[in-house]
């Protein structure tokens, strides 16, 4: 209902993107979605889609940011409208139900009921908004309020209610028919059930020859046939009423869906501010320039899981299509990669980010290719699986997409893995696809490093002189060795 | 000669139809073709036509000519329309579930449709420049029939009665379990009023039909009651309807009814090959020859497989074959799943279909008018030991050699798999010698390259793309056997090499 797009509503029935499972798993989106839902299943469903189905134009992102700001400012009003609608839908579900392939007659019946219930709801919603209209500054909310006022003004609602009562046909269904070319009854035309006759008309009506037949008891076939005759008379109005009822219902649902998204955002805002994490609205940059920069960016899920404020990272704004992150194992590389992926998704759905500053070019799709820890197959099968996942990504990426690799091709030896990585990344860059690659390979980063001018920014997981990790990632040259030995000695306690 | 049958030049043959499929039907995949061809046509019993090949060239040509005429879209459309309408007519007059007045009404409709369908068919045949003996005879027959006073009276009566019936208007009121019927007095359409009030909602798109189910039109006793009331309100109209019914009870012409049944054979076949043609595959009318050294087919394919593939939108590979001079035996070798069996089926199917008088796969074909086709395919089940398997195979090939004549076609698919290559070569050569002595045409699919080097045989080889050994081309080409097959597999399997990615991701 125009809170998420300037010209249409968010389609909550659309499919998750094909890689939804990968995104949730690789970017650890579950805690984010749960926190946004705050126990409301409907919000959970909506944000699970909205979060990953981002928009790819700056204007729409800014439009949503405006609505979100309004929501944060008027959270009580927004929650009460959401409550009115949720209650009406729950109530409506209990009283009305739509059967599949309904007959015109049952459509007329159900539509009349539906319209009676939900037009009342819209009436109430309009009143709540009208009372605090001046508090809403965003274009989104203003559009919504204006459209409710325009489409459902009191006079119009009154004339609809009047017609709805005559569509209950208290004096039977009257139709005009003709005989067709096989002497069948055809061209059923509904006649106004409450047509006023003048005196003359009344006399003609009484004098006219009229034959009447009563359905015998238990004549079920006859009852069905008569029912279908009524259906034929009602077909046209059934379509009109169904359209109206569907429209009103989808309006209600769309409003509920879009409010659910913003309430979800507000829930996350609340949870993160409690942890003292800096929040702010990101700056979306036009696609194509490969801009990326941030200060004190947090991995949101890590914070939510730890219920604390974790280490944050900075990146002075760069304009390169390739980020290679190498360095110490367990040095925070994955967290770093995730935090960028999360922020990119949050930015593109119109949300705030968990950073003091974040700017990035808009991507036409975010894809992840992470090493799967739990794949315990033998080497060959594992590489096969990795390549097949890569192939699915290749099926979908397009210029200006963003692909996050995490230790990809690590299932084979370093030389082969490096070669695969090199070929993959080179081809993706040629197709103007942004790549962020976490790796412990040496050859692969070095190749991009020595190829000047390099398309890449090189980052390393920081390690102090004494060997301890800070879990910070900084710009630096790719390191020669990984830190597997460190991890080993930490876990086993010696170097042998 | 007066028109009798569109299927047979000499219609006495109609009695000789074979009711069971030939032995080779399953091996050639033709059982599936026949099954699909006759789908929904049970009432016509056309299945035997596919089991009954024609042996006389003039009978084959009689059908081929009709197919050529029907290729003309105008003729095809006219015949399809005629067939659909005639089917309706039969359904109308055979409807026994109706009440009296309803039945009279439907009879009237049947006669009207019948008259129109005949006139339209005649008109189309007149103007379409048809060449076939069969359709020309039909056209002349129709021309005469439509000029008879019998037909013209029927048609005029039907039209007059119809215009009376369609002038009837009624007003029904249904309330609870009662229905009342009267004449109408210019009633106002209430639906329009409702649409007016809800106009605002109509702006954004229209409602889909699926959201309100279509009312079911039931012709039951309630309608009959309404018609009986209508007969009281409009007595003259219904008297005319009854008179028409009594007068024209036996209006169907038997010759035309037979044409309607027989033309289903052509319609069914063309309907079957239509999607194949749409996908770019070609069909042609073959020339039949008694000279084996003239056999030739360009761009042919396995019709059963093609039909399956086209449904899945997969690409169908075409293959050509020919025999020259004394050439009789084709040996097909090459990688597995490379299209060898398909090629053999293509060869045999073309020869069988040609004998049905129908178009065959290919852009151009000259085919041998064979007496029969023998197939020798591997049998999956039944035989346990290798020895038993070889025995079974050799018994079968012996029986085939006994029954075959110099006009037969023999298809052998992967025989001798249970022996060593050396033995398979020796035995295979002996069998080839026997076939050669018979002067039969034979297609022999085998993994034994050596057989393809036998003197006097023609070698066809299924192809592998050396750059993409995983991918099968299904192309079978006339060339010497090449032992290498597809040893160089692997790599690029997932299509994610540098080149692949560039190809798959559009800039």
């Amino acid at each position: 209902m125009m809170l998420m797009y300037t010209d249409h509503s968010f389609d909550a029935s659309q499919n998750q993107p094909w890689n939804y499972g990968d995104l949730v798993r690789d970017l650890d989106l579950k805690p984010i979605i749960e926190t946004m839902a705050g126990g409301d299943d409907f919000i959970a469903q909506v944000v699970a889609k909205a979060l990953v189905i981002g928009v790819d134009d700056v204007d729409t992102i800014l439009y949503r940011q405006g609505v979100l700001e309004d929501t944060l400012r008027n959270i009580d009003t927004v929650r009460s409208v959401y409550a009115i609608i949720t209650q009406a839908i729950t109530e409506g579900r209990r009283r009305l139900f739509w059967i599949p392939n309904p007959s015109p007659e049952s459509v007329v019946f159900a539509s009349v009921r539906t319209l009676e219930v939900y037009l009342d709801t819209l009436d109430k919603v309009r009143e709540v908004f009208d009372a605090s209209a001046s508090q809403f500054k965003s274009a989104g909310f203003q559009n919504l309020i204006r459209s409710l006022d325009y489409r459902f003004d009191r006079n119009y609602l009154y004339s609809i209610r009047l017609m709805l009562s005559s569509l209950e046909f208290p004096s039977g269904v009257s139709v005009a028919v003709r005989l067709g070319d096989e002497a069948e009854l055809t061209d059923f035309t509904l006649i106004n059930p409450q047509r006023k006759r003048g005196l003359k008309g009344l006399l003609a009506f009484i004098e006219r020859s009229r034959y009447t037949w009563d359905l015998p008891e238990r004549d079920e076939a006859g009852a069905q046939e008569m029912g279908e005759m009524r259906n034929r008379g009602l077909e046209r109005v059934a379509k009109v009423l169904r359209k109206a009822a569907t429209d009103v219902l989808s309006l209600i649902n769309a409003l509920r869906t879009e409010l659910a998204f913003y309430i979800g955002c507000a829930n996350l805002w609340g949870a993160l501010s409690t942890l003292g994490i800096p929040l702010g609205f990101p700056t979306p940059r036009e696609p194509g320039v490969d801009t990326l920069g941030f200060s004190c960016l947090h991995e949101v899920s890590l914070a939510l899981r730890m219920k604390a404020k974790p280490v944050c990272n900075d990146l002075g704004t760069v304009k390169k299509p390739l980020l290679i992150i190498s360095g110490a194992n367990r040095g925070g590389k994955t967290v770093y990669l995730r935090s960028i992926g999360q922020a990119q998704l949050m930015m593109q759905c119109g949300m705030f980010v968990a950073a003091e500053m974040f700017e990035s070019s808009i991507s036409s799709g975010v894809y992840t290719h992470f090493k799967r820890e739990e794949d315990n197959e033998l080497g060959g099968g594992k590489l096969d699986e990795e390549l097949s996942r890569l192939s699915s990504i290749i099926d979908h990426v397009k210029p200006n997409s963003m692909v996050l690799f995490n230790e990809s091709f690590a299932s084979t030896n370093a030389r082969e893995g490096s070669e695969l990585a090199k070929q993959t990344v080179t081809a993706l860059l040629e197709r103007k696809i942004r790549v962020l690659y976490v790796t412990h390979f040496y050859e692969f980063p070095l190749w991009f490093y020595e190829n000047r001018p390099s398309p890449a920014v090189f980052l390393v997981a920081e390690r102090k002189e004494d060997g301890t990790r800070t879990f910070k990632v900084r710009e630096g040259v790719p390191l020669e060795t990984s830190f597997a030995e460190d991890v080993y000695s930490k876990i086993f306690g010696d170097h042998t | 000669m007066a028109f009798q049958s569109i299927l047979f030049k000499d219609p006495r043959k109609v009695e000789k139809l074979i009711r069971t499929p030939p032995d080779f039907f399953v091996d050639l995949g033709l059982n599936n073709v026949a099954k699909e061809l006759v789908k929904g046509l049970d009432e016509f019993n056309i299945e035997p036509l596919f089991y009954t090949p024609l042996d006389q060239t003039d009978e084959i040509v009689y059908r081929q000519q009709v197919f050529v005429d029907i290729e003309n879209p105008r003729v095809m459309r006219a015949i399809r329309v005629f067939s659909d309408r005639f089917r309706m007519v039969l359904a109308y007059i055979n409807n026994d579930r109706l009440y009296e007045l309803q039945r009279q009404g439907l009879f009237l409709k049947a006669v009207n449709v019948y008259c129109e369908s005949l006139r339209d068919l005649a008109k189309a045949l007149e103007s379409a420049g048809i060449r076939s003996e069969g359709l020309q005879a039909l056209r002349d027959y129709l021309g005469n029939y439509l000029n008879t006073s019998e037909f013209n009276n029927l048609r005029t009566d039907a039209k007059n009665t119809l215009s009376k019936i369609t002038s009837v208007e009624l007003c029904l009121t249904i309330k609870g379990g009662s229905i009342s019927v009267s004449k109408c007095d210019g009633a106002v359409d209430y639906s329009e009023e409702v649409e007016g009030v809800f106009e605002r909602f109509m702006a954004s798109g229209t409602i889909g039909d699926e959201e309100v189910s279509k009312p079911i039109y039931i012709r039951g006793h309630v309608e009959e009651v309404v018609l009986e009331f209508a007969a009281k309100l409009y007595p003259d109209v219904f008297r005319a309807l009854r008179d028409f019914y009594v007068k024209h009870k036996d209006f169907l012409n038997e010759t035309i009814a037979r044409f309607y049944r027989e033309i289903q054979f052509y319609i069914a076949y063309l309907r079957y090959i239509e999607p194949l043609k749409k996908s770019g595959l070609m069909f042609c009318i073959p020339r039949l020859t008694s000279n084996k050294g003239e056999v030739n087919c360009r761009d042919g394919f396995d019709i059963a497989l093609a039909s399956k593939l086209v449904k899945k939108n997969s690409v169908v590979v075409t293959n050509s074959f020919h025999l020259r001079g004394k050439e009789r035996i084709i040996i097909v070798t090459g990688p597995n799943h490379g299209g060898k069996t398909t090629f053999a089926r293509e060869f045999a199917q073309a020869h069988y279909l040609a004998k049905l008088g129908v178009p065959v796969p290919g852009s151009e074909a000259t085919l041998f008018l064979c007496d029969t086709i023998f197939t020798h395919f591997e049998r999956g089940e039944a035989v346990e030991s290798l020895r038993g398997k070889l025995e079974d195979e050799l018994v079968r090939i012996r029986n085939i050699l006994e029954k075959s004549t110099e006009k037969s076609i023999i298809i052998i698919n992967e025989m001798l798999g249970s022996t060593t290559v050396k033995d398979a070569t020796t035995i295979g050569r002996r069998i080839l010698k026997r076939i050669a002595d018979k002067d039969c045409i034979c297609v022999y699919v085998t993994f034994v390259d050596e057989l393809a080097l036998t003197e006097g045989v023609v070698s066809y080889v299924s192809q592998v793309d050396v750059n993409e050994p995983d991918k099968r081309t299904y192309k079978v080409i006339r060339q010497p056997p090449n032992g290498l097959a597809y040893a160089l597999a692997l790599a690029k399997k997932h299509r994610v090499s540098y080149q692949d990615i560039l190809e798959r991701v559009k800039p």
Side-chain angles (χ1 to χ4, degrees):
Chain A
M1 180 55 198
M2 306 197 291
L3 289 178
M4 290 177 76
Y5 297 94
T6 50
D7 54 355
H8 62 282
S9 25
F10 182 75
D11 176 10
S13 69
Q14 64 188 303
N15 288 331
Q16 302 280 19
W18 68 274
N19 62 336
Y20 176 73
D22 291 340
L23 286 173
V24 169
R25 177 174 171 163
D26 296 341
L27 298 182
D28 195 20
L29 300 180
K30 212 170 148 210
I32 301 181
I33 292 169
E34 278 171 3
T35 307
M36 291 178 82
D40 183 321
D41 287 346
F42 184 76
I43 297 182
Q45 284 171 34
V46 172
V47 298
K49 287 183 178 171
L51 185 60
V52 291
I53 304 172
V55 290
D56 47 15
D57 68 285
V58 173
D59 289 346
T60 307
I61 291 175
L62 296 179
Y63 185 81
R64 289 189 187 183
Q65 289 184 355
V67 174
L68 180 52
E69 279 180 294
D70 260 352
T71 306
L72 293 170
R73 211 174 22 243
N74 299 285
I75 186 66
D76 292 340
T77 311
V78 174
R79 283 193 199 275
S80 75
V81 170
Y82 181 74
I84 290 172
I85 291 169
T86 304
Q87 201 204 345
I89 287 175
T90 318
E91 184 69 22
R93 286 236 179 87
R94 210 178 317 137
R95 286 175 46 200
L96 312 164
F97 51 94
W98 291 92
I99 50 173
N101 303 314
S103 68
E105 192 169 17
S106 59
V107 167
V108 170
F109 184 82
S111 302
V112 167
R113 291 284 172 296
T114 304
L115 286 166
E116 281 168 354
V117 170
Y118 291 119
L119 288 174
D120 279 355
T121 309
L122 283 177
D123 216 8
K124 278 187 213 154
V125 169
R126 203 197 38 182
E127 274 170 21
V128 172
F129 274 130
D130 281 350
S132 52
S134 62
Q135 303 299 311
F136 290 91
K137 317 278 188 210
S138 66
F141 269 112
Q142 285 181 359
N143 284 343
L144 171 66
I145 293 166
R146 209 177 310 127
S147 137
L148 286 175
D149 283 345
Y150 169 74
R151 290 186 63 181
F152 300 101
D153 60 279
R154 275 173 208 286
N155 291 340
Y156 184 51
L157 288 182
Y158 176 77
S159 65
I160 287 185
R161 288 196 181 106
L162 213 59
M163 176 158 270
L164 292 179
S165 71
S166 100
L167 285 167
E168 287 169 355
F169 299 104
S171 48
V173 175
S174 289
V175 289
V177 301
R178 282 191 319 102
L179 292 192
D181 61 2
E182 52 187 87
E184 81 283 20
L185 303 180
T186 187
D187 279 2
F188 280 62
T189 308
L190 188 65
I191 301 170
N192 189 341
Q194 293 175 336
R195 188 156 51 104
K196 295 186 182 69
R197 294 178 220 276
L199 184 59
K200 244 182 171 174
L202 194 63
L203 285 176
F205 179 78
I206 292 166
E207 279 168 11
R208 199 182 307 142
S209 307
R210 168 181 312 276
Y211 299 94
T212 300
W213 181 76
D214 290 311
L215 192 66
E217 263 183 75
R218 282 196 288 278
D219 178 1
E220 279 170 27
Q224 196 202 349
E225 194 182 350
M226 261 190 193
E228 292 298 347
M229 285 181 176
R230 282 195 301 272
N231 280 332
R232 294 173 83 190
L234 293 171
E235 193 180 6
R236 211 168 128 192
V237 292
K239 287 184 179 176
V240 177
L241 290 170
R242 171 111 206 200
K243 175 80 167 82
T246 315
D247 267 19
V248 170
L249 202 54
S250 66
L251 189 75
I252 294 269
N253 278 319
L255 194 50
R256 184 187 186 205
T257 301
E258 302 202 333
L259 291 174
F261 169 71
Y262 290 106
I263 288 173
C265 294
N267 288 341
L268 184 63
W269 178 284
L272 292 175
S273 10
T274 312
L275 298 176
I277 290 170
L279 302 172
F281 284 93
T283 310
R285 299 287 180 201
E286 290 293 343
V289 191
D290 302 321
T291 302
L292 183 65
F294 44 80
S295 56
C296 199
L297 177 65
H298 286 82
E299 207 273 55
V300 177
S301 296
L302 187 61
L304 292 171
R305 285 184 193 280
M306 288 168 40
K307 296 195 171 42
K309 188 175 167 183
V311 170
C312 64
N313 278 296
D314 303 322
L315 176 68
T317 300
V318 293
K319 291 185 178 176
K320 297 262 192 182
L322 174 62
L323 246 72
I324 295 179
I325 305 133
S326 49
N329 275 346
R330 305 198 50 82
K333 288 178 297 187
T334 301
V335 167
Y336 184 84
L337 188 66
R338 258 187 203 138
S339 69
I340 297 173
Q342 289 168 354
Q344 186 76 22
L345 288 180
M346 289 163 78
M347 176 182 87
Q348 291 203 221
C349 75
M351 221 199 286
F352 53 83
V353 292
E356 280 164 8
M357 185 283 277
F358 183 87
E359 63 174 328
S360 178
S361 302
I362 293 169
S363 292
S364 55
V366 174
Y367 302 90
T368 54
H369 190 269
F370 278 39
K371 187 177 81 174
R372 290 283 153 85
E373 308 287 349
E374 63 273 39
D375 290 338
N376 282 325
E377 294 165 53
L378 294 171
K382 215 169 162 184
L383 182 62
D384 199 60
E385 187 272 343
E386 279 198 273
L387 290 170
S388 117
R389 269 194 288 134
L390 176 61
S391 182
S392 324
I393 292 173
I394 298 305
D395 279 337
H396 294 88
V397 285
K398 44 185 189 284
N400 296 322
S401 293
M402 178 189 259
V403 187
L404 311 182
F405 291 94
N406 190 16
E407 300 286 16
S408 296
F409 312 123
S411 57
T412 183
N413 67 53
R415 280 189 72 180
E416 282 177 5
S418 274
E419 180 60 25
L420 286 170
K422 195 180 88 186
Q423 290 209 10
T424 305
V425 172
T426 312
L428 291 176
L429 294 185
E430 273 189 46
R431 286 291 176 260
K432 302 263 179 286
I433 291 159
R434 250 206 289 188
V435 175
L436 282 70
Y437 205 125
V438 164
T439 183
H440 70 266
F441 290 148
Y442 177 60
E443 282 186 55
F444 153 64
L446 200 64
W447 189 81
F448 280 103
Y449 188 69
E450 286 171 349
N451 250 318
R452 301 278 164 168
S454 173
V457 176
F458 296 92
L459 302 160
V460 290
E462 190 180 63
R463 182 172 174 261
K464 286 188 177 163
E465 297 287 331
D466 62 359
T468 57
R469 292 171 201 79
T470 62
F471 298 104
K472 286 250 183 194
V473 173
R474 302 204 179 287
E475 280 198 60
V477 290
L479 298 180
E480 185 166 351
T481 54
S482 92
F483 290 71
E485 210 167 58
D486 293 24
V487 178
Y488 179 88
S489 62
K490 184 180 171 193
I491 292 171
F492 289 92
D494 63 47
H495 285 265
T496 49
Chain B
M1 198 177 77
F3 175 75
Q4 291 186 61
S5 168
I6 198 71
L7 283 174
F8 299 94
K9 188 178 164 79
D10 178 359
R12 280 169 300 181
K13 295 231 173 94
V14 185
E15 308 309 317
K16 297 182 205 155
L17 289 183
I18 301 167
R19 314 232 149 239
T20 52
D23 291 341
F24 54 78
F25 244 49
V26 174
D27 285 345
L28 296 187
L30 287 173
N31 55 329
N32 296 324
V33 178
K35 206 193 295 166
E36 216 179 309
L37 268 163
V38 303
K39 208 178 269 171
L41 300 175
D42 290 350
E43 59 194 294
F44 302 106
N45 193 27
I46 58 173
E47 222 168 320
L49 292 168
F50 291 101
Y51 304 152
T52 313
L54 305 171
D55 292 320
Q56 316 270 316
T57 308
D58 60 346
E59 288 287 352
I60 294 173
V61 170
Y62 187 77
R63 286 191 194 169
Q64 289 183 340
Q65 288 177 341
V66 173
F67 271 110
V68 171
D69 271 345
I70 300 185
E71 299 266 286
N72 177 345
R74 285 175 61 198
V75 179
M76 185 69 238
R77 202 176 327 118
I79 284 178
R80 282 219 167 122
V81 169
F82 164 78
S83 169
D84 291 347
R85 284 168 159 185
F86 207 92
R87 180 180 297 216
M88 272 162 52
V89 169
L90 293 182
Y92 291 158
I93 57 180
N94 294 325
N95 192 322
D96 52 4
R97 266 176 298 183
L98 292 181
Y99 294 92
E100 194 51 34
L101 292 176
Q102 293 167 333
R103 193 168 2 201
Q104 291 174 13
L106 201 55
F107 180 82
L108 172 64
K109 167 109 174 210
V111 174
N112 273 303
V113 173
Y114 174 78
C115 294
E116 283 320 294
S117 72
L118 263 53
R119 281 164 53 89
D120 287 351
L121 179 62
K123 222 186 289 169
L125 293 178
E126 283 306 334
S127 64
I130 46 176
R131 304 249 170 80
S132 66
E133 194 182 335
L135 285 176
Q136 280 182 350
L138 171 72
R139 177 195 63 197
D140 297 344
Y141 179 89
L142 265 181
N144 289 333
Y145 176 63
L146 296 188
N147 277 327
T148 58
S149 60
E150 174 199 349
F151 180 80
N152 283 312
N153 289 341
L154 177 71
R155 183 161 171 265
T156 318
D157 269 10
K159 277 191 152 178
N160 292 341
T161 313
L162 179 65
S163 71
K164 286 181 188 151
I165 280 291
T166 52
S167 67
V168 171
E169 282 181 0
L170 302 168
C171 201
L172 316 181
T173 298
I174 306 170
K175 188 182 182 208
S178 81
I179 180 165
S180 50
V181 182
S182 64
K183 290 192 177 179
C184 269
D185 62 342
V188 181
D189 186 349
Y190 186 52
S191 304
E192 262 169 32
E193 256 178 74
V194 177
E195 280 168 357
V197 167
F198 287 98
E199 205 178 356
R200 268 181 217 197
F201 291 94
M202 300 304 122
S204 56
T206 48
I207 186 100
D209 280 346
E210 69 282 359
E211 296 182 56
V212 180
S213 72
K214 269 241 150 299
I216 307 161
Y217 170 36
I218 303 174
R219 301 208 78 175
H221 59 278
V222 180
E223 189 188 62
E224 184 74 1
V225 166
V226 173
L227 290 178
E228 280 164 11
F229 290 157
K232 290 184 187 170
L233 295 165
Y234 299 91
D236 296 345
V237 172
F238 282 81
R239 196 176 307 117
L241 181 64
R242 190 185 57 231
D243 291 347
F244 180 83
Y245 181 64
V246 172
K247 188 173 162 199
H248 296 289
K249 234 171 168 17
D250 302 308
F251 68 97
L252 271 189
N253 174 300
E254 190 35 49
T255 304
I256 290 163
R258 175 174 175 173
F259 168 75
Y260 160 70
R261 288 192 300 273
E262 291 187 339
I263 198 70
Q264 302 306 322
F265 171 79
Y266 296 89
I267 295 177
Y269 190 77
L270 291 174
R271 188 186 57 191
Y272 182 81
I273 68 174
E274 190 175 84
L276 306 184
K277 285 169 122 178
K278 271 209 184 113
S279 80
L281 294 168
M282 286 193 280
F283 281 81
C284 66
I285 302 288
R287 184 171 74 88
L288 285 147
T289 178
S290 55
N291 177 357
K292 292 168 206 164
E294 276 188 349
V295 167
N296 171 29
C297 173
R298 267 201 298 138
D299 309 323
F301 50 89
D302 174 343
I303 190 173
L305 178 66
S307 174
K308 241 186 261 168
L309 292 176
V310 165
K311 269 183 213 147
K312 288 190 285 185
N313 281 324
S314 304
V315 176
V316 178
V317 173
T318 61
N319 280 304
S320 305
F321 57 79
H322 69 266
L323 294 174
R324 267 186 303 236
K326 295 275 171 215
E327 292 171 354
R328 299 291 180 265
I329 298 174
I330 292 176
I331 306 289
V332 191
T333 57
N336 281 343
H337 308 294
K340 287 181 294 181
T341 305
T342 298
F343 176 81
R345 286 202 180 108
E346 169 193 331
F347 187 96
Q349 286 174 357
H351 282 90
Y352 184 76
L353 293 173
K355 290 190 68 180
L356 295 178
V358 303
V360 303
S363 56
E364 180 190 337
T366 301
L367 299 168
F368 178 64
L369 183 58
C370 60
D371 57 5
T372 186
I373 296 168
F374 294 100
T375 54
H376 186 284
F377 274 51
E378 245 182 334
R379 282 189 192 162
E381 7 61 50
V383 193
E384 292 114 50
S385 69
L386 291 180
R387 185 198 160 92
K389 192 174 176 198
L390 181 63
E391 262 177 28
D392 170 74
E393 283 183 346
L394 292 181
V395 167
R396 281 194 288 138
I397 195 72
R398 189 195 62 202
N399 288 343
I400 289 174
L401 283 165
E402 276 169 8
K403 282 190 269 177
S404 58
T405 73
E406 80 282 359
K407 289 180 135 188
S408 305
I409 291 177
I410 301 177
I411 308 293
I412 300 172
N413 189 33
E414 296 290 14
M415 194 169 55
L416 308 173
S418 54
T419 66
T420 64
V421 173
K422 187 164 168 275
D423 290 347
T425 310
T426 319
I427 300 176
R429 285 204 167 133
R430 284 193 196 136
I431 291 166
L432 287 177
K433 172 82 169 58
R434 285 173 183 274
I435 294 170
D437 287 349
K438 279 245 169 191
D439 202 30
C440 284
I441 291 181
C442 172
V443 178
Y444 190 149
V445 173
T446 181
F447 63 96
V448 186
D449 276 15
E450 284 81 352
L451 289 182
L453 299 168
T454 310
E455 212 182 305
V457 304
V458 183
S459 171
Y460 275 73
V461 181
S462 62
Q463 304 292 305
V464 179
D465 187 337
V466 187
N467 296 317
E468 279 178 277
D470 265 10
K471 198 174 129 197
R472 323 230 179 272
T473 66
Y474 299 105
K475 214 55 178 166
V476 176
I477 289 175
R478 191 174 164 121
Q479 63 172 204
N482 56 7
L484 61 92
Y486 57 88
L488 332 105
L490 229 67
K492 300 173 86 184
K493 181 174 145 203
H494 290 282
R495 303 195 298 130
V496 291
S497 70
Y498 170 76
Q499 268 306 330
D500 286 319
I501 294 177
L502 287 188
E503 270 164 35
R504 291 169 67 186
V505 182
K506 297 282 162 270

